Amino acid sequence: MDLQQLFEQGGPLMWAILAAAVVGVFFFLERLYTLSRGKVLPRAFVDRVRSKVAGDKTKEALLLCEENDSSIARMMAAGLRAHQRGKGRSDIKEAVEEVAGREIAHLDRFVEVVGTMASVTPLLGLLGTVVGMIQVFQRFADAYATGNATPDVFAKGIWIALITTAYGLMVAIPLLIAYKTLQGRNDRLIAEMEEDAMGLVDLLEDAATRESEGGEADAKA
C-alpha cells in the first residue's frame, strides 16, 4: 500500500495535516530567504562603514547606509544621523536601539508560525486517531451485537486509525528541526547585529572626541 492510499484511508484530518505542512514549509523557506546574511548583516558592508567612520568620513558612511537595504544598515544610519545632529553617546545608543527593536521584530516575524505548525500536526494526528478509535469501537460493538465481530475487523480498524498519528509525526519532526534552525540563525544574526551596532557607537564616540579636540586646537591656534 503506497502513501497515497494511506493518505486516503486516514480520513478528513489528513487534509488538515497536509495544510499545516504546506504552511510550515512555506514560512520556513520565506524566513530562510529573509534571514540570509546578505539581507540582514552583509559583512563587507559593515567593514566599509566602520572604516569610513574610523577615517572621520561619517557623511560618506551615512550615504552608504542609506543606499543599503539591510537591517544593520538601518541601525547604523540611525546612529550616524544622531551623531551628525551633535548627540552624545547615550542619545546615539538610544537611536540605534530604537531601530534595532523594529528590525528584531521584523526578523522574528513568522518564525513562530513554523513552530506552531510543528506543534499542531502531531495533535491533529492524535485527534484523527482518537476519532478513528471511537469509530472502530462503535463498529465493533455493532458487529458484536449481530454476532459478526472478529479480531480481524478490530485489528484493521486500529491500524487505519493510527495512520493520522503517523503522518502527523512525519510532518512535525522535520518542521520542528526547521523551527530550531530558524531560531538559531535568528539569534546569531541578532547577537552579531547588536555587537556591530555597539561597535559603531564606540567609533562615533571616538570620532566626536577627535572633532572636539580638533576644535579646541584650532581655537588655541
Side-chain angles (χ1 to χ4, degrees):
M1 187 174 295
D2 59 23
L3 292 177
Q4 182 178 354
Q5 289 177 316
L6 289 174
F7 183 91
E8 292 171 353
Q9 288 191 337
L13 280 172
M14 294 293 286
W15 290 103
I17 294 173
L18 178 61
V22 171
V23 171
V25 170
F26 173 80
F27 282 108
F28 171 67
L29 295 176
E30 188 274 339
R31 286 292 92 188
L32 273 185
Y33 174 73
T34 302
L35 296 176
S36 61
R37 183 169 291 274
K39 294 183 69 63
V40 179
L41 188 66
R43 181 53 52 191
F45 163 77
V46 173
D47 292 340
R48 286 183 65 193
V49 172
R50 289 174 63 90
S51 65
K52 293 289 185 184
V53 175
D56 294 329
K57 299 178 180 178
T58 55
K59 291 184 179 180
E60 294 182 16
L62 179 57
L63 183 61
L64 285 175
C65 291
E66 291 174 343
E67 292 175 346
N68 193 284
D69 193 36
S70 63
S71 296
I72 190 63
R74 287 185 280 273
M75 292 168 61
M76 287 182 160
L80 287 164
R81 292 190 190 100
H83 169 75
Q84 291 189 353
R85 291 195 298 268
K87 301 295 185 179
R89 176 186 174 86
S90 60
D91 291 327
I92 294 174
K93 184 178 179 181
E94 183 179 350
V96 171
E97 289 176 345
E98 181 181 350
V99 176
R102 293 198 297 267
E103 293 302 320
I104 290 172
H106 177 72
L107 296 180
D108 286 335
R109 189 179 58 171
F110 301 138
V111 171
E112 288 301 322
V113 173
V114 180
T116 300
M117 294 303 104
S119 301
V120 164
T121 47
L123 295 178
L124 289 173
L126 181 59
L127 176 60
T129 295
V130 170
V131 172
M133 291 297 293
I134 291 173
Q135 294 173 344
V136 167
F137 281 109
Q138 186 177 27
R139 287 196 297 268
F140 188 78
D142 293 340
Y144 184 80
T146 59
N148 296 322
T150 63
D152 291 341
V153 173
F154 192 66
K156 181 180 179 181
I158 291 176
W159 75 257
I160 290 178
L162 290 172
I163 291 175
T164 53
T165 294
Y167 268 79
L169 292 174
M170 286 171 58
V171 171
I173 293 171
L175 283 182
L176 180 60
I177 295 172
Y179 172 59
K180 293 299 182 181
T181 299
L182 290 179
Q183 273 192 325
R185 174 178 292 194
N186 202 20
D187 291 344
R188 286 193 300 273
L189 288 172
I190 290 172
E192 290 181 35
M193 279 200 311
E194 292 176 343
E195 182 179 349
D196 287 329
M198 290 304 102
L200 178 69
V201 172
D202 293 335
L203 287 175
L204 290 174
E205 184 180 23
D206 293 340
T209 301
R210 289 193 298 271
E211 290 175 4
S212 177
E213 292 175 349
E216 291 177 0
D218 291 341
K220 290 179 180 179

